[in-house]
Amino acid sequence: MSKHATESTTDVTDHNTEPPANHFLQIDDLSADELAELVSTAAELKRAHHAGESHAVLPNQSLAMLFEKPSTRTRVSFETGMTQLGGHAVYLGPDTTHLDHGEPVADTARALSRYVDAVMARVFDHGALEAMAEYATVPVINGLSDAAHPCQTLADLLTVYEQFGGFEDVTVAWVGDGNNVGQSFAVGAAMAGVDLTMATPEGYGPDEDVLARADASGQVPEVVHDPEAAVEGADVVYTDVWVSMGQEDEREAKLDDFAGFQVNDDLLAAAPEASVMHCLPAHRGEEITGDVLESDRSMVWEQAENRMHTQKALLTHLLGEK
Ligand code: CP
Ligand code: NVA
């Protein structure tokens, strides 16, 4: 999609007279109150799911899921989530639509809006999502871009909430790349009142606008370049891959730059009680060791499951009670 996403978005007319849709491109598209409510709705949906109670609150609603990159968790959690809510999801994988063959994103967005109740998209370039949101008349949900992964942050916050019974006085150390997952977590942590320190190599910290948005949300994370200093005494240590999808050409340089930032038993000696989070997929032996990922302190499977519950809460927030 990125090739054509921002082309030909001018000189078009949308004849649909629907009011503007609520989009979810960034975590702070929600207010802090909405975020807190969404986490508690997700906890209730999780309870209902495990109790086998029906919660088909979005009957006959449809979600288009557009992917420029691979996905395991995002695709399956949205698709099963829509089914459990009584709706339906349509998977549009890489190279399966006209977007990859020259149809402008503006045309795709307006056509999809006539069929489905929401569009979730995973794109290379965040600008493609913004173009989609400009022309779609239904909510557009960010399923990961180069800049942000707000759906991941929803699951991360539910995981922290469950583990600690709330957000107050919880300290998280982010260790690794300050890009999409880290950037959304930085803003979401500020909104929730979670205390965050980010240890990244020089040049891999979050963007200035992310720090400004975290600040506006109540708390700017401390950004350091020493993983041990960040981890010391933390309740949670959170990491992500060093080589994100689309960065394969930078692999050798990034492996060099991130040396010393691996989450392993030596690093965790500075935080003996810390739980460990990872958005997955994990590259064992790079950003995290297999031992740590498989240890009792790892919360990664709960975190992965929570994608489904929080996205169901998001879908009911965006699409419920129309
Ligand atoms: N964490 C995450 O978004 O995983 P997938 O790439 O499998 O969707
Ligand atoms: N930063 C990673 C996250 C994958 C869910 C990537 O963009 O590939």
mmCIF file of all heavy atoms in Angstrom, residues 67 70-75 122 143-144 149 152 181 245 279-281 307, ligand 1:
data_model
loop_
_atom_site.group_PDB
_atom_site.id
_atom_site.type_symbol
_atom_site.label_atom_id
_atom_site.label_comp_id
_atom_site.label_asym_id
_atom_site.label_seq_id
_atom_site.Cartn_x
_atom_site.Cartn_y
_atom_site.Cartn_z
ATOM 1 N N PHE A 67 -3.408 -5.944 5.360
ATOM 2 C CA PHE A 67 -2.034 -6.152 5.840
ATOM 3 C C PHE A 67 -1.021 -5.968 4.717
ATOM 4 O O PHE A 67 -1.086 -6.667 3.710
ATOM 5 C CB PHE A 67 -1.868 -7.573 6.397
ATOM 6 C CG PHE A 67 -2.486 -7.765 7.754
ATOM 7 C CD1 PHE A 67 -3.801 -8.160 7.881
ATOM 8 C CD2 PHE A 67 -1.738 -7.543 8.902
ATOM 9 C CE1 PHE A 67 -4.368 -8.338 9.134
ATOM 10 C CE2 PHE A 67 -2.297 -7.718 10.163
ATOM 11 C CZ PHE A 67 -3.621 -8.116 10.279
ATOM 12 N N PRO A 70 3.524 -9.304 7.338
ATOM 13 C CA PRO A 70 3.012 -10.511 8.007
ATOM 14 C C PRO A 70 2.436 -10.205 9.388
ATOM 15 O O PRO A 70 2.727 -9.166 9.979
ATOM 16 C CB PRO A 70 4.258 -11.396 8.166
ATOM 17 C CG PRO A 70 5.296 -10.813 7.287
ATOM 18 C CD PRO A 70 4.977 -9.359 7.116
ATOM 19 N N SER A 71 1.649 -11.132 9.898
ATOM 20 C CA SER A 71 1.110 -11.012 11.258
ATOM 21 C C SER A 71 0.606 -12.370 11.721
ATOM 22 O O SER A 71 0.002 -13.110 10.946
ATOM 23 C CB SER A 71 -0.051 -10.023 11.286
ATOM 24 O OG SER A 71 -0.735 -10.108 12.523
ATOM 25 N N THR A 72 0.819 -12.677 12.968
ATOM 26 C CA THR A 72 0.175 -13.828 13.604
ATOM 27 C C THR A 72 -0.884 -13.318 14.580
ATOM 28 O O THR A 72 -2.078 -13.560 14.423
ATOM 29 C CB THR A 72 1.218 -14.687 14.352
ATOM 30 O OG1 THR A 72 2.172 -15.154 13.400
ATOM 31 C CG2 THR A 72 0.559 -15.884 15.043
ATOM 32 N N ARG A 73 -0.448 -12.589 15.592
ATOM 33 C CA ARG A 73 -1.333 -12.159 16.676
ATOM 34 C C ARG A 73 -2.393 -11.166 16.223
ATOM 35 O O ARG A 73 -3.580 -11.321 16.542
ATOM 36 C CB ARG A 73 -0.501 -11.530 17.824
ATOM 37 C CG ARG A 73 0.185 -12.552 18.692
ATOM 38 C CD ARG A 73 1.536 -12.052 19.142
ATOM 39 N NE ARG A 73 2.461 -12.107 18.031
ATOM 40 C CZ ARG A 73 3.233 -13.161 17.755
ATOM 41 N NH1 ARG A 73 3.234 -14.200 18.532
ATOM 42 N NH2 ARG A 73 4.028 -13.166 16.680
ATOM 43 N N THR A 74 -1.993 -10.142 15.499
ATOM 44 C CA THR A 74 -2.940 -9.070 15.166
ATOM 45 C C THR A 74 -4.059 -9.608 14.292
ATOM 46 O O THR A 74 -5.246 -9.363 14.531
ATOM 47 C CB THR A 74 -2.188 -7.914 14.474
ATOM 48 O OG1 THR A 74 -1.137 -7.493 15.349
ATOM 49 C CG2 THR A 74 -3.116 -6.755 14.169
ATOM 50 N N ARG A 75 -3.681 -10.386 13.279
ATOM 51 C CA ARG A 75 -4.692 -10.926 12.379
ATOM 52 C C ARG A 75 -5.658 -11.852 13.120
ATOM 53 O O ARG A 75 -6.875 -11.705 13.034
ATOM 54 C CB ARG A 75 -4.004 -11.679 11.224
ATOM 55 C CG ARG A 75 -4.985 -12.145 10.156
ATOM 56 C CD ARG A 75 -5.088 -13.636 10.058
ATOM 57 N NE ARG A 75 -6.206 -14.064 9.240
ATOM 58 C CZ ARG A 75 -6.110 -14.760 8.124
ATOM 59 N NH1 ARG A 75 -4.931 -15.081 7.657
ATOM 60 N NH2 ARG A 75 -7.199 -15.149 7.492
ATOM 61 N N ARG A 122 -2.430 -2.667 8.682
ATOM 62 C CA ARG A 122 -1.010 -2.744 9.068
ATOM 63 C C ARG A 122 -0.203 -2.271 7.871
ATOM 64 O O ARG A 122 -0.263 -2.907 6.808
ATOM 65 C CB ARG A 122 -0.636 -4.173 9.457
ATOM 66 C CG ARG A 122 0.861 -4.393 9.590
ATOM 67 C CD ARG A 122 1.211 -5.711 10.249
ATOM 68 N NE ARG A 122 0.915 -5.668 11.671
ATOM 69 C CZ ARG A 122 1.357 -6.565 12.565
ATOM 70 N NH1 ARG A 122 2.118 -7.573 12.171
ATOM 71 N NH2 ARG A 122 1.050 -6.454 13.836
ATOM 72 N N GLY A 143 -3.170 -1.205 12.879
ATOM 73 C CA GLY A 143 -2.723 -2.554 13.265
ATOM 74 C C GLY A 143 -1.219 -2.675 13.242
ATOM 75 O O GLY A 143 -0.698 -3.785 13.191
ATOM 76 N N LEU A 144 -0.511 -1.591 13.285
ATOM 77 C CA LEU A 144 0.943 -1.394 13.340
ATOM 78 C C LEU A 144 1.394 -0.604 12.105
ATOM 79 O O LEU A 144 1.044 -0.941 10.973
ATOM 80 C CB LEU A 144 1.738 -2.706 13.397
ATOM 81 C CG LEU A 144 3.274 -2.572 13.494
ATOM 82 C CD1 LEU A 144 3.867 -3.589 14.466
ATOM 83 C CD2 LEU A 144 3.934 -2.758 12.141
ATOM 84 N N HIS A 149 2.050 1.344 17.413
ATOM 85 C CA HIS A 149 1.309 0.078 17.524
ATOM 86 C C HIS A 149 0.353 0.202 18.721
ATOM 87 O O HIS A 149 0.517 -0.472 19.745
ATOM 88 C CB HIS A 149 2.284 -1.080 17.704
ATOM 89 C CG HIS A 149 1.711 -2.435 17.403
ATOM 90 N ND1 HIS A 149 0.409 -2.631 16.951
ATOM 91 C CD2 HIS A 149 2.261 -3.688 17.495
ATOM 92 C CE1 HIS A 149 0.203 -3.928 16.777
ATOM 93 N NE2 HIS A 149 1.298 -4.586 17.099
ATOM 94 N N GLN A 152 -1.254 -2.847 20.445
ATOM 95 C CA GLN A 152 -0.340 -3.571 21.335
ATOM 96 C C GLN A 152 -0.338 -2.918 22.720
ATOM 97 O O GLN A 152 -0.357 -3.601 23.746
ATOM 98 C CB GLN A 152 1.075 -3.555 20.731
ATOM 99 C CG GLN A 152 2.103 -4.309 21.537
ATOM 100 C CD GLN A 152 1.829 -5.807 21.581
ATOM 101 O OE1 GLN A 152 1.661 -6.428 20.551
ATOM 102 N NE2 GLN A 152 1.782 -6.386 22.771
ATOM 103 N N VAL A 181 6.375 0.034 18.711
ATOM 104 C CA VAL A 181 5.797 -0.529 19.938
ATOM 105 C C VAL A 181 6.192 0.329 21.146
ATOM 106 O O VAL A 181 5.346 0.688 21.978
ATOM 107 C CB VAL A 181 6.245 -2.000 20.123
ATOM 108 C CG1 VAL A 181 5.784 -2.545 21.465
ATOM 109 C CG2 VAL A 181 5.695 -2.861 18.988
ATOM 110 N N MET A 245 10.009 -5.340 11.034
ATOM 111 C CA MET A 245 9.601 -5.683 9.661
ATOM 112 C C MET A 245 9.816 -4.469 8.753
ATOM 113 O O MET A 245 9.404 -3.363 9.095
ATOM 114 C CB MET A 245 8.121 -6.087 9.651
ATOM 115 C CG MET A 245 7.859 -7.409 10.328
ATOM 116 S SD MET A 245 6.099 -7.842 10.320
ATOM 117 C CE MET A 245 5.508 -6.972 11.769
ATOM 118 N N CYS A 279 6.328 -7.975 22.962
ATOM 119 C CA CYS A 279 5.113 -7.931 22.124
ATOM 120 C C CYS A 279 5.015 -9.150 21.212
ATOM 121 O O CYS A 279 3.927 -9.482 20.750
ATOM 122 C CB CYS A 279 5.113 -6.654 21.299
ATOM 123 S SG CYS A 279 6.601 -6.450 20.297
ATOM 124 N N LEU A 280 6.152 -9.808 20.946
ATOM 125 C CA LEU A 280 6.268 -10.949 20.030
ATOM 126 C C LEU A 280 5.994 -10.500 18.577
ATOM 127 O O LEU A 280 5.232 -9.564 18.389
ATOM 128 C CB LEU A 280 5.330 -12.087 20.428
ATOM 129 C CG LEU A 280 5.501 -12.617 21.859
ATOM 130 C CD1 LEU A 280 4.450 -13.699 22.154
ATOM 131 C CD2 LEU A 280 6.909 -13.172 22.093
ATOM 132 N N PRO A 281 6.591 -11.120 17.578
ATOM 133 C CA PRO A 281 7.449 -12.294 17.673
ATOM 134 C C PRO A 281 8.797 -11.954 18.321
ATOM 135 O O PRO A 281 9.306 -10.848 18.142
ATOM 136 C CB PRO A 281 7.642 -12.713 16.208
ATOM 137 C CG PRO A 281 7.519 -11.433 15.433
ATOM 138 C CD PRO A 281 6.489 -10.628 16.179
ATOM 139 N N ARG A 307 -4.256 -9.275 23.588
ATOM 140 C CA ARG A 307 -4.536 -8.562 22.336
ATOM 141 C C ARG A 307 -6.005 -8.733 21.961
ATOM 142 O O ARG A 307 -6.686 -7.794 21.561
ATOM 143 C CB ARG A 307 -3.648 -9.116 21.194
ATOM 144 C CG ARG A 307 -2.160 -8.799 21.327
ATOM 145 C CD ARG A 307 -1.860 -7.327 21.173
ATOM 146 N NE ARG A 307 -2.381 -6.780 19.929
ATOM 147 C CZ ARG A 307 -1.768 -6.846 18.752
ATOM 148 N NH1 ARG A 307 -0.577 -7.406 18.656
ATOM 149 N NH2 ARG A 307 -2.304 -6.297 17.666
HETATM 150 N N1 CP B 1 2.692 -8.205 18.382
HETATM 151 C C1 CP B 1 2.171 -8.309 17.137
HETATM 152 O O1 CP B 1 1.623 -7.335 16.590
HETATM 153 O O2 CP B 1 2.288 -9.532 16.582
HETATM 154 P P1 CP B 1 1.985 -9.939 15.066
HETATM 155 O O3 CP B 1 3.049 -9.295 14.212
HETATM 156 O O4 CP B 1 2.051 -11.434 15.060
HETATM 157 O O5 CP B 1 0.628 -9.421 14.680
#
